[in-house]
Amino acid sequence: MGEEGLESVTVEGSRKLEGSSPNKITAHELKANTKASNYKISYAEGTLTVTERTNKYAIEVVASSATYTYDGTAKNVSG
């Protein structure tokens, strides 16, 4: 038996610079072996907060079809 639970969550809202902005879950997908009737899933709006760091870090995101070093600009990868 595999694990049950969330496979993915779609969130609306983003930030590139420090500050706060509203965000909310707009959709979700359950793992294939999850019985939806066993769960009551509800969404609540939240706040996404980005704070300035004294120590900077390089962030690298690796996807199956591309690799980017995060530079503050939007990136889109599929596959």
Side-chain angles (χ1 to χ4, degrees), residues 6-10 25-30 36 41-43:
L6 290 170
E7 180 68 33
S8 65
V9 175
T10 302
I25 296 172
T26 57
H28 71 276
E29 183 179 332
L30 298 175
I41 298 174
S42 58
Y43 303 156

Side-chain angles (χ1 to χ4, degrees), residues 44-73:
E45 291 193 25
T47 302
L48 174 62
T49 301
V50 175
T51 56
E52 180 67 26
R53 290 189 55 90
T54 304
N55 299 319
K56 307 297 182 191
Y57 293 98
I59 300 172
E60 184 172 274
V61 178
V62 179
S64 60
S65 60
T67 300
Y68 295 105
T69 299
Y70 183 71
D71 61 4
T73 62

Side-chain angles (χ1 to χ4, degrees), residues 23-35:
N23 70 345
K24 63 181 176 179
I25 296 172
T26 57
H28 71 276
E29 183 179 332
L30 298 175
K31 292 182 179 179
N33 59 333
T34 301
K35 188 174 180 182

